[in-house]
Amino acid sequence: MKGSPAQPQCGFSNAVVQILRLHGVADYRAHDVLQDPGLRQGVKNYSNWPTIPQVYLNGEFVGGCDILLQMHQNGDLVEELKKLGIRSALLDAEKDQDKK
Amino acid sequence: MAPGARPFRMLPARLLPLLRTPLRLLPRLASSTPMAGEKPVEASIRSKLQRELEPTHLEVHNESHQHAVPPGAETHFKVVIASSRFAGLPLLQRHRLVNEILQAELAGPVHALSIHAKTPEQWDQNADVSRSPACLGGSKHDPHMAEKLGSQG
């Protein structure tokens, strides 16, 4: 990403941070490519993907901000998190909704 | 014909080039020639996507003005495409296909590319496309931006 989760330096990177926050995912590694030009180019070569941010789940490249947003909107992200043993906070939010 | 003279008195000068274009080429004009006000990178993106994906719907937006780059920059783009070429492809593969088509632009001046890739059926069902997130100034702090902008100078 560009910047840090506490202080993103890019709107697209921030969108990723906010989506993860919505799902209650706080325990993840974030790397600021603006501080590390080697990483910036290296990660693009590694994933064969030209832009930042880049999202990896369990070491596997998932996509950028657009893809994460669409996964969030269509429910795929909840499923992918489940596969990693992470329960999305949105499921609990839904449960609370149902109880009311 | 005398310089400055118009073959048809009522025709505005800016439309004169159209008279020289054979009629059979006119329908394709939009895909191979820059639209009014369109700059080179935008024109190139549009033309490549048109040619490679034969989309039923295509929008190419230069969003550079929403970011911390000088006016007139062509660094941040959003493309919205509906194409049957995306059928059966998961999102990541759709985006990779677009990235591949635009690899020259992405290796060059284009710094950010937002992609919305649907099949024509998906587009008919839902033509809603989310707005790009607001800039948080990243390009201001980016030592590489000067290089990218330099290529457009």
Side-chain angles (χ1 to χ4, degrees), chain A residues 1-2 12-20 25 28-31 33 43-44 46-47 49 51-72 77 80-81 84, chain B residues 92 96:
Chain A
M1 69 175 292
K2 294 182 182 174
F12 301 106
S13 291
N14 183 43
V16 170
V17 168
Q18 297 311 322
I19 290 169
L20 293 175
V25 179
Y28 60 90
R29 298 269 297 277
H31 304 271
V33 300
V43 76
K44 291 178 183 178
Y46 175 78
S47 58
W49 186 266
T51 51
I52 306 290
Q54 298 194 3
V55 181
Y56 293 77
L57 289 179
N58 207 27
E60 195 182 314
F61 178 62
V62 162
C65 162
D66 293 327
I67 289 180
L68 198 73
L69 180 60
Q70 286 174 69
M71 287 173 68
H72 162 67
L77 185 54
E80 290 302 313
L81 289 173
L84 297 178
Chain B
L92 185 59
R96 285 201 183 283

Side-chain angles (χ1 to χ4, degrees), chain A residues 2 9 11 14 40 47-48 66, chain B residues 96 111 114-115 138 141-142:
Chain A
K2 294 182 182 174
Q9 297 274 313
N14 183 43
R40 184 175 184 171
S47 58
N48 190 24
D66 293 327
Chain B
R96 285 201 183 283
H111 175 82
S114 178
I115 301 170
H141 310 280
D142 186 345

Side-chain angles (χ1 to χ4, degrees), chain A residues 87-98:
Chain A
R87 181 180 168 80
S88 167
L90 291 184
L91 290 172
D92 298 325
E94 274 174 27
K95 258 190 167 177
D96 292 339
Q97 285 282 318
D98 291 338

Side-chain angles (χ1 to χ4, degrees), chain B residues 76-96:
Chain B
H76 296 67
F77 282 88
K78 170 163 134 181
V79 297
V80 181
I81 318 164
S83 165
S84 51
R85 291 282 311 273
F86 293 137
L89 292 183
L91 271 185
L92 185 59
Q93 301 320 318
R94 295 183 186 192
H95 286 223
R96 285 201 183 283

Side-chain angles (χ1 to χ4, degrees), chain B residues 5 10 20 50 53 56 58 61-62 64 68 75 87 98 106 111 113 122-123 130 132 137 146 152:
Chain B
M10 302 308 289
R20 293 194 277 270
Q50 192 75 48
L53 297 177
T56 55
L58 174 62
H61 301 278
N62 181 352
S64 309
T75 50
V98 174
L106 286 161
H111 175 82
L113 180 64
Q122 286 171 332
W123 180 254
S130 44
S132 294
Q152 300 177 12

